[in-house]
Amino acid sequence: MRLHRLDITAFGPFGGTQKVDFDALSAAGLFLLHGPTGAGKTSVLDAVCYALYGAVPGARQSGQGLTLRSDHAAPGTRTEIRLELTVAGRRLEITRQPPWERPKKRGSGTTTDKAQTWLREYDSAARTWKDLSRSHQEIGEEITQLLGMSREQFCQVVLLPQGDFARFLRADAEARGKLLGRLFDTHRFAEAEKRLAERRRTTEAEVRDGDAALLADAHRMQQAAGDPVPLPDLAPGDPGLAEAVLSWAAVARSTARERLAIAQCARTAAESARAAAERALDEVRERARLQRRFAEARERAALLEQRADAHREARERMERARKAEAVAPALDLRDSAEAEHRRAAEAEARARARLPETDADAGAAGLAAAARRATEELGGLESARRAERRLGELAAERTEMDRQERADEEVLQDAEGWLADWEQTRAALQERIDSAQEAATRAEQLAVRREPARNRLRAARERDRLAQDTEAAQARALASRERALAAHEHWLDLKEQRLKGIAAELAAGLLDGEPCAVCGATDHPAPARKVAGHVGREAEERALAAYRHAEEQHAEDERRLAAVREALAAATAEAGDTPTGELAAQADELERLYSAARAGASQLHPAQEELRRAEQERERRTAARQEAALRVAARVSRRDALERERNALMEELGRARGDAVSVAARAAQLERRAALLTEAADAVRTAEDSAQRLKEADARLADAAFRAGFDTPQAAAAALLDDSAHRELQRRLDAWQQEEAAVRAMLAEADTAAAAQQPPADLAGAEQAAEAAARRLQAAVSAQDEAARRCAELDRLSARATASVRRLAPLRDEYDRVARLASLAAGTSAENERRMRLESYVLAARLEQVAAAATVRLQRMSSGRYTLVHSDDRSGRGRSGLGLHVVDAWTGRERDTATLSGGETFFASLALALGLADVVTDEAGGVRLDTLFIDEGFGSLDDQTLDEVLDVLDSLRERDRSVGIVSHVADLRRRIHAQLEVVKGRTGSVVRQRGVG
């Protein structure tokens, strides 16, 4: 990595833009970066680090980048860092702008702009720069990958901070481990230790869980076996637990199988006994059944003997019913003929009752003739019906003509009355139209004057308000000006007081043995003391901030005062000097007159519409009066014609209706008479026919009864049975026959008769014996099932325990292996003789490489006297691995680096820093570092040692490498010609390059 150019704008102490040409400085190989304390030497290195990584080293990084902005920068100048460098053969340009608060473009106050980053690469073929990215994340990843190191590593390797390495030489193993861990990124080894420890705890828990599950299965086997034999007295994790549990399970299974065999034998004996008891019970039940059957048959035979007479009567009744069935058709025919004759006679009586007395006794022929006469008379009334309907139509037409006549009279009267007032109505409407038109003209004239008057009134009110605001703004501007002057004088006083006591402020940070920030000396015989009322930097900065705030407030008040004055002048120009009250009165009077004129003008359109509607109404009423007069004349002739037609029709109707009220009433009388006569004639004929059929049915019935053997038809009818009675009688006869056959069969059975000759059966005793045998069998079956269940459960649990032991074996082996590795990596194992953790072991190897690389330069700086060696001895009760000793060639003794003097500590720490830079560079993939910076510490060296150190640094220029020394030691300005000087001033610091071409 080689730096070419650095541009710094508004960064740290630099208020403007400063340019650093590293190509010119690097031409000499060794250059000096110097300047007074607080000028900004370290800020140059911070700018390099910020350009590469977007952050400054160590504790100087705070906030989000807002603190990087220079207090000396102009408000409109943005902070920017631009670095041009070559890394990995690529020439790049990085530009970074941190976030900043800038003045708002509109209004007062500030707004925050986001940070921005650009990365460009120089294309040597095209001789142009090409953009690569503007993403913070992409650029950060690209730079880190190219350099091969993090920001912390870069700050230790390229920006060598000597104070840190002096503390590194005196630090204990833990502090060295933290620094080396950050530089070499060994957290992955610490993570490996943590992972091993976690894996050990996990596998140990899994092993214990497996043993606990195995013991739980053993307890279940003990419960399943029902055996009081105790389990092995072992806990989860104890050795031999699995073998003991499996042995106990084998014994429990053997005992359970023996009990199962005994239970099976007992069940076989119980089954035989139960079978014998059931056979005996079946025999007793069968004998008891046969004895009950024989007794039942005897009882049923006695009952049949008692009902023999009733059975003979039923058979006789069934025989008579079969004979009567031959007479049943004649009986049905006679019953239907009788019913028909009865209905016909009743219908005849009803029909004759509705006839007049003159026709009530007539025969069928006379009734039919009378009906024909009535029908003929009815046909002659059709023309009279038409005349009667026409007469009704004439009456309706006369009524309608009367209604129309009254309506026309009303129309004529209304039209005459309305038309008589027409001229007066038209004149009134025309007068309203003329008045509204005049009001509209006045409204237009007033509207022209109304808006300017309102504008002047608004301007006058705004003029009065701005006059008051101007007085208040003048008072505020005067007060803020006085406050700004007072704050400025207060800040200048505090600044002068602080400059007078700046020596005491610098002396407050001195420590014994530590170099002075001004002269570099480590002895401080008489440091300055702070006097009463000393003013520090914070007090001065607060006073400066108060002054700037007061100045900004004064500028803001002046701006507001100018704006108010400008607005007041504009309002006065528009409103004039007329008082606001007078303008308001004028505007109100114009508004009143305008409103009145508008109200009058609004009546113009309604008046015009009303006149138009009145003219239309006059035309309509004139036409209606003429039409009504024509209709009156036409109705007179029509009324005469209707009267003549009505008289002729009335004469015709008088002849046709006779004594009836109307022709329709006469027609209804004739229609009813014809219908009654026709109905009566039909009823008389039907009754005569039904009487003849009844006589014929009586003759056939008498003949059928005689042939069937009955004396009278009534006897045959009594012998008949209906369907339900016949079915019931037949059922009783069939049941008797079936019962008689069944009883004969039962009494004829040989085994039943034989059982009846034996003693009565003892069924209760046989059932009790069978139940006792069944209970014994059930108990034996339960015992066998219980024994089989215990065996099955023990087999299942034993198989699960065996599988669990087999599954747990690899896990236990893994636990032993992981526990051994975890103890070894943590340094707690007996095999780890030096009690070194894994991370410490890796760091010890790195420290050994650093010590070897540092020794090469330390021997040259110390004229071959000192050599740095790594020590892995334990310090006190701590762990070993990160010890660092120095071997003194003059005494041949090895001692701790903390015993070195101030100058010896400097060049030893410088050698250590350079050695560490070489090792970290190799670790980063061999990225070549062509530019290095060494910060402070040269003031503690004598002239000879300083020459040797400079020779070593000068040797770093080999292979075109440049080294920058950051120091304010005056002697170095004489020894090193290429210089970059930082000069501070009231407006900020500037850089100057000296001794370069």
Side-chain angles (χ1 to χ4, degrees):
M1 181 198 72
R2 173 178 292 278
L3 304 181
H4 298 292
R5 181 174 54 86
L6 176 66
D7 295 342
I8 306 174
T9 302
F11 181 84
F14 305 105
T17 300
Q18 305 298 320
K19 299 181 180 295
V20 179
D21 188 355
F22 284 110
D23 286 338
L25 292 173
S26 301
L30 193 65
F31 62 91
L32 177 65
L33 174 58
H34 69 95
T37 302
K41 302 184 296 297
T42 305
S43 296
V44 176
L45 306 184
D46 290 347
V48 174
C49 183
Y50 183 79
L52 292 174
Y53 295 97
V56 297
R60 295 190 294 278
Q61 174 68 23
S62 61
Q64 300 295 326
L66 294 174
T67 58
L68 301 178
R69 179 170 175 78
S70 175
D71 295 334
H72 302 283
T77 302
R78 179 158 190 176
T79 303
E80 181 180 276
I81 304 296
R82 180 179 287 110
L83 176 64
E84 185 178 337
L85 74 160
T86 297
V87 58
R90 300 169 61 184
R91 185 152 184 165
L92 305 175
E93 181 188 78
I94 308 171
T95 303
R96 291 189 186 269
Q97 293 179 348
W100 73 307
E101 291 187 357
R102 61 169 178 82
K104 291 183 177 179
K105 296 180 179 179
R106 299 182 182 87
S108 59
T110 60
T111 183
T112 302
D113 285 350
K114 296 181 180 180
Q116 298 186 15
T117 306
W118 293 270
L119 177 63
R120 301 197 303 172
E121 183 177 3
Y122 183 74
D123 188 351
S124 58
R127 297 181 179 274
T128 57
W129 291 93
K130 63 178 181 179
D131 294 333
L132 296 182
S133 176
R134 298 191 63 174
S135 169
H136 300 296
Q137 182 177 359
E138 291 180 359
I139 295 174
E141 293 175 354
E142 180 72 14
I143 296 301
T144 302
Q145 183 178 3
L146 290 174
L147 293 177
M149 62 186 76
S150 64
R151 177 171 62 90
E152 290 78 7
Q153 291 176 321
F154 179 83
C155 294
Q156 293 289 344
V157 174
V158 179
L159 312 178
L160 302 178
Q162 298 307 306
D164 290 350
F165 285 96
R167 286 190 293 272
F168 181 81
L169 288 173
R170 301 188 183 97
D172 55 9
E174 183 177 358
R176 287 174 182 162
K178 291 181 179 178
L179 176 61
L180 293 174
R182 290 196 305 269
L183 292 177
F184 292 105
D185 191 19
T186 58
H187 70 280
R188 61 186 184 277
F189 299 101
E191 186 67 23
E193 296 178 23
K194 181 179 178 182
R195 292 287 182 86
L196 286 173
E198 290 177 353
R199 184 57 182 163
R200 177 178 61 186
R201 288 191 294 270
T202 302
T203 53
E204 183 179 6
E206 292 176 353
V207 169
R208 289 184 177 274
D209 292 343
D211 286 348
L214 184 61
L215 279 177
D217 288 340
H219 283 291
R220 294 189 187 96
M221 285 189 285
Q222 186 181 30
Q223 294 175 358
D227 197 337
V229 178
L231 290 171
D233 187 14
L234 294 173
D238 292 347
L241 175 64
E243 291 77 6
V245 170
L246 293 180
S247 299
W248 184 92
V251 173
R253 290 198 306 275
S254 177
T255 303
R257 288 193 177 90
E258 292 177 358
R259 293 176 180 174
L260 177 59
I262 295 172
Q264 289 174 346
C265 293
R267 176 179 178 177
T268 302
E271 288 176 348
S272 300
R274 181 190 176 189
E278 287 180 349
R279 287 194 299 273
L281 176 61
D282 292 340
E283 292 176 357
V284 171
R285 285 175 176 170
E286 181 63 17
R287 186 168 71 250
R289 185 185 69 79
L290 293 175
Q291 290 175 351
R292 287 194 305 272
R293 182 177 177 82
F294 185 78
E296 181 184 355
R298 296 293 297 272
E299 292 175 358
R300 290 165 65 183
L303 184 61
L304 288 174
E305 185 65 25
Q306 293 175 3
R307 293 187 297 178
D309 295 339
H311 176 63
R312 284 192 295 273
E313 292 178 358
R315 282 191 298 179
E316 293 175 358
R317 180 75 177 87
M318 179 61 74
E319 184 64 26
R320 293 182 64 198
R322 289 194 182 96
K323 292 180 180 179
E325 289 178 356
V327 187
L331 284 171
D332 294 339
L333 180 61
R334 199 272 175 191
D335 290 341
S336 62
E338 184 179 9
E340 183 181 359
H341 176 64
R342 187 168 50 255
R343 289 192 299 274
E346 292 174 354
E348 180 185 1
R350 287 194 299 273
R352 288 182 179 277
R354 289 193 293 272
L355 295 175
E357 294 182 358
T358 55
D359 298 326
D361 297 331
L367 293 174
R372 284 193 298 274
R373 289 194 299 272
T375 302
E376 291 173 357
E377 186 177 357
L378 179 62
L381 294 177
E382 184 61 31
S383 61
R385 287 178 179 175
R386 290 193 297 271
E388 189 174 30
R389 286 194 297 272
R390 177 57 182 163
L391 187 61
E393 293 174 358
L394 293 177
E397 187 174 355
R398 285 173 60 85
T399 302
E400 178 63 19
M401 291 176 67
D402 293 341
R403 186 192 64 77
Q404 292 177 357
E405 184 174 3
R406 289 192 299 273
D408 288 340
E409 289 178 357
E410 292 177 358
V411 169
L412 290 172
Q413 293 175 1
D414 187 33
E416 292 293 340
W418 192 91
L419 292 173
D421 299 333
W422 162 244
E423 291 299 331
Q424 184 178 357
T425 302
R426 186 181 64 79
L429 291 175
Q430 187 62 42
E431 183 178 358
R432 285 175 56 191
I433 291 173
D434 296 340
S435 177
Q437 287 177 344
E438 292 176 0
T441 303
R442 287 197 306 273
E444 292 177 357
Q445 295 172 354
L446 291 172
V448 175
R449 298 168 54 193
R450 175 169 164 264
E451 190 61 28
R454 293 171 64 182
N455 292 337
R456 288 188 64 196
L457 177 59
R458 280 198 298 270
R461 290 172 177 169
E462 182 69 12
R463 176 196 63 195
D464 295 344
R465 185 185 65 80
L466 290 175
Q468 298 176 359
D469 292 348
T470 301
E471 295 176 0
Q474 286 176 344
R476 286 196 298 270
L478 181 59
S480 62
R481 180 175 179 275
E482 293 176 355
R483 288 195 297 271
L485 292 175
H488 185 253
E489 292 185 5
H490 178 62
W491 170 58
L492 292 178
D493 292 342
L494 291 181
K495 185 175 183 68
E496 185 177 359
Q497 293 177 26
R498 184 189 175 208
L499 290 176
K500 291 179 180 179
I502 194 67
E505 184 177 336
L506 293 175
L510 295 177
L511 298 175
D512 293 339
E514 294 291 335
C516 173
V518 178
C519 65
T522 57
D523 296 329
H524 318 296
R529 304 294 180 184
K530 293 182 180 179
V531 298
H534 174 76
V535 177
R537 179 179 180 179
E538 295 181 355
E540 180 191 355
E541 290 178 348
R542 286 195 299 271
L544 176 60
Y547 160 63
R548 289 178 175 172
H549 177 71
E551 188 66 26
E552 292 175 356
Q553 186 63 42
H554 172 61
E556 178 65 18
D557 291 340
E558 288 291 342
R559 186 189 63 78
R560 292 179 179 175
L561 175 59
V564 171
R565 285 175 174 170
E566 183 179 355
L568 176 60
T572 303
E574 184 175 358
D577 297 331
T578 306
T580 304
E582 182 178 347
L583 291 176
Q586 294 176 0
D588 292 342
E589 179 62 19
L590 283 175
E591 190 68 28
R592 185 186 64 77
L593 295 175
Y594 176 72
S595 299
R598 285 289 303 274
S602 64
Q603 298 300 319
L604 175 61
H605 182 69
Q608 291 174 343
E609 285 295 316
E610 189 172 354
L611 177 60
R612 183 182 60 79
R613 289 194 297 270
E615 291 177 347
Q616 291 176 353
E617 181 66 16
R618 183 181 68 84
E619 294 175 358
R620 186 185 66 79
R621 288 181 181 272
T622 302
R625 184 178 60 179
Q626 295 174 356
E627 292 174 358
L630 293 175
R631 286 195 299 270
V632 169
R635 275 195 300 273
V636 172
S637 59
R638 180 58 180 167
R639 190 184 296 275
D640 294 341
L642 292 178
E643 186 64 25
R644 289 192 299 271
E645 185 178 1
R646 177 179 175 279
N647 293 334
L649 292 174
M650 288 296 293
E651 183 179 356
E652 182 181 357
L653 288 177
R655 292 191 302 269
R657 62 174 173 254
D659 57 354
V661 296
S662 65
V663 175
R666 179 62 179 166
Q669 291 176 356
L670 293 175
E671 288 178 355
R672 184 171 181 276
R673 175 178 174 79
L676 291 175
L677 290 173
T678 301
E679 182 181 359
D682 293 339
V684 170
R685 285 193 292 270
T686 301
E688 292 175 352
D689 294 341
S690 64
Q692 181 62 32
R693 286 193 293 273
L694 176 60
K695 184 177 179 180
E696 294 174 356
D698 286 338
R700 284 196 294 271
L701 176 60
D703 182 63
F706 177 77
R707 284 197 300 270
F710 293 100
D711 296 335
T712 63
Q714 290 76 13
L720 278 174
L721 294 174
D722 56 12
D723 292 341
S724 61
H726 187 277
R727 287 194 299 272
E728 177 60 23
L729 182 60
Q730 186 64 44
R731 185 191 64 76
R732 287 165 53 194
L733 292 175
D734 294 341
W736 170 274
Q737 293 176 357
Q738 292 174 0
E739 180 67 11
E740 184 181 22
V743 169
R744 286 199 193 97
M746 290 170 61
L747 293 177
E749 292 175 353
D751 52 353
T752 303
Q757 302 299 323
Q758 297 179 2
D762 185 9
L763 183 59
E767 289 178 348
Q768 291 177 358
E771 290 177 358
R775 285 194 297 272
R776 289 192 295 272
L777 176 59
Q778 184 177 5
V781 170
S782 299
Q784 180 187 357
D785 292 343
E786 179 65 18
R789 186 189 63 77
R790 291 179 185 274
C791 287
E793 184 66 12
L794 286 173
D795 291 341
R796 185 183 66 81
L797 292 174
S798 297
R800 191 166 75 174
T802 303
S804 178
V805 171
R806 189 179 300 111
R807 185 176 62 254
L808 192 61
L811 184 61
R812 190 181 297 277
D813 294 340
E814 182 184 359
Y815 166 68
D816 294 340
R817 183 173 61 257
V818 171
R820 179 172 175 271
L821 287 175
S823 299
L824 188 63
T828 59
S829 173
E831 297 175 341
N832 193 334
E833 298 177 357
R834 297 188 179 276
R835 297 176 58 82
M836 292 177 63
R837 295 172 48 248
L838 177 60
E839 185 181 15
S840 299
Y841 177 79
V842 175
L843 291 177
R846 298 300 187 194
L847 183 58
E848 188 173 0
Q849 295 175 354
V850 171
T855 297
V856 176
R857 295 183 175 87
L858 179 59
Q859 287 181 343
R860 185 173 178 182
M861 293 181 188
S862 62
S863 301
R865 179 179 178 182
Y866 294 116
T867 301
L868 280 175
V869 295
H870 162 250
S871 174
D872 53 9
D873 294 335
R874 296 174 57 184
S875 58
R877 300 182 61 184
R879 297 180 180 176
S880 60
L882 296 179
L884 192 62
H885 292 172
V886 61
V887 178
D888 191 344
W890 291 2
T891 63
R893 299 179 63 86
E894 180 179 326
R895 55 193 173 98
D896 194 272
T897 54
T899 60
L900 294 173
S901 65
E904 292 171 341
T905 300
F906 166 70
F907 61 70
S909 61
L910 177 59
L912 184 64
L914 294 174
L916 181 63
D918 293 340
V919 174
V920 172
T921 301
D922 295 338
E923 178 73 12
V927 176
R928 177 179 173 83
L929 301 177
D930 295 322
T931 305
L932 297 176
F933 294 91
I934 301 174
D935 192 359
E936 288 298 347
F938 292 87
S940 60
L941 302 179
D942 56 28
D943 292 342
Q944 180 181 357
T945 305
L946 181 60
D947 290 337
E948 293 176 350
V949 170
L950 291 178
D951 289 342
V952 172
L953 295 178
D954 193 57
S955 67
L956 295 177
R957 295 185 300 170
E958 298 173 357
R959 292 179 297 178
D960 199 20
R961 176 183 290 182
S962 61
V963 179
I965 298 176
V966 183
S967 178
H968 51 61
V969 177
D971 192 35
L972 289 176
R973 301 176 197 170
R974 178 180 56 81
R975 296 171 179 264
I976 302 176
H977 300 287
Q979 299 177 11
L980 177 64
E981 181 181 7
V982 182
V983 182
K984 65 180 180 180
R986 283 183 176 272
T987 60
S989 299
V990 296
V991 297
R992 299 173 182 170
Q993 295 188 195
R994 302 178 184 275
V996 296

